[in-house]
Amino acid sequence: MARLPADPEGFIRANTALEAPAMVPEFKLWLASEYVPIWQATEAWMEKHNIDPPYWAFCWPGGQAIARYLLDHPDAVRGRRVIDLAAGSGISSMAAAQAGAASVLANDIDTLSLVAARLNATANGLAFDVNADDWLAGSDAAPEADVVIAGDVCYEREMSARALAWLRSHARAGRLVLLGDPGRNYFSAQGLEERARYRIPTSLQLENRGMRETVVWRVLPHP
């Protein structure tokens, strides 16, 4: 069960700052920076504040790539139902909403992430629904959607395998499935089709380099 501080929205505002991601300057998000406590958070600090690791407080390159792609290619989602796996800060969901999606459902098993995603949407005059279910543990090709998006889900071996299998089940159901990935260790391009490639500035405190070449892939029905 994901943990929550007593005042989730107040906690986010107190420990992050509104900043524009490098690749998506159209938006401002509540993010960690060198100037706010959560940037230097330790395990003891997170335990004290009753939170899980704050992945939502960083705008990872895969999500930024998906967002940039959707803003530049709004026809991919305009008038369509979009679901966003492991939405994190909500940057990809925001881009889908901005691009004219008929509906957007942002999913993350970390409920504080969903609070942050909604705050980020509000800060930019956008709105979408959220969902905290473990979709990877559910049925194939569920929930229903026209477009499925996911960024930065290949950071662990098991997570990568489960996520790619789930994404491929949606592709087999005839849906457009887009995956943003900066070349994580457990990523494989087998059965994927490149849609766009970006060079995204990153922090050396989070990544092993100052720039990540990040690709938006279309997941095909079969490897």
Side-chain angles (χ1 to χ4, degrees):
M1 179 74 68
R3 298 178 295 179
L4 282 176
D7 176 11
E9 292 190 4
F11 174 85
I12 291 168
R13 292 192 181 97
N15 291 284
T16 58
L18 273 176
E19 296 186 352
M23 203 67 201
V24 196
E26 294 94 331
F27 296 148
K28 286 192 174 182
L29 287 75
W30 292 98
L31 299 174
S33 75
E34 294 90 337
Y35 311 107
V36 295
I38 210 167
W39 177 265
Q40 301 286 353
T42 63
E43 187 173 343
W45 188 94
M46 289 185 282
E47 183 72 30
K48 175 184 175 182
H49 291 85
N50 199 38
I51 67 165
D52 295 307
Y55 299 116
W56 50 266
F58 303 93
C59 203
W60 303 95
Q64 287 195 59
I66 291 285
R68 182 74 269 152
Y69 181 83
L70 295 182
L71 291 176
D72 292 345
H73 302 85
D75 287 348
V77 294
R78 184 179 292 127
R80 308 177 79 182
R81 300 168 299 165
V82 178
I83 60 174
D84 183 5
L85 173 69
S89 67
I91 184 70
S92 301
S93 292
M94 290 165 55
Q98 178 80 2
S103 65
V104 180
L105 182 61
N107 164 265
D108 204 292
I109 59 174
D110 182 351
T111 48
L112 188 55
S113 170
L114 299 179
V115 175
R118 276 185 156 165
L119 279 179
N120 290 334
T122 299
N124 293 274
L126 300 167
F128 46 74
D129 292 326
V130 298
N131 175 282
D133 296 338
D134 184 356
W135 285 351
L136 302 186
S139 303
D140 285 352
E144 288 284 335
D146 301 309
V147 180
V148 182
I149 55 178
D152 301 289
V153 294
C154 296
Y155 52 87
E156 294 177 349
R157 186 187 302 275
E158 182 182 356
M159 174 66 175
S160 180
R162 293 177 68 207
L164 284 169
W166 181 83
L167 292 169
R168 210 174 295 283
S169 74
H170 281 278
R172 288 196 297 270
R175 295 155 192 172
L176 173 62
V177 182
L178 299 175
L179 170 66
D181 190 89
R184 300 288 182 206
N185 289 340
Y186 299 108
F187 170 79
S188 170
Q190 184 177 0
L192 306 180
E193 173 187 271
E194 183 173 327
R195 282 294 186 92
R197 185 177 294 259
Y198 307 99
R199 286 176 57 80
I200 301 180
T202 58
S203 168
L204 288 173
Q205 300 228 24
L206 298 173
E207 305 279 355
N208 59 5
R209 65 201 76 170
M211 188 78 67
R212 296 293 305 229
E213 189 166 80
T214 305
V215 179
V216 175
W217 302 91
R218 178 171 185 173
V219 179
L220 303 177
H222 302 286

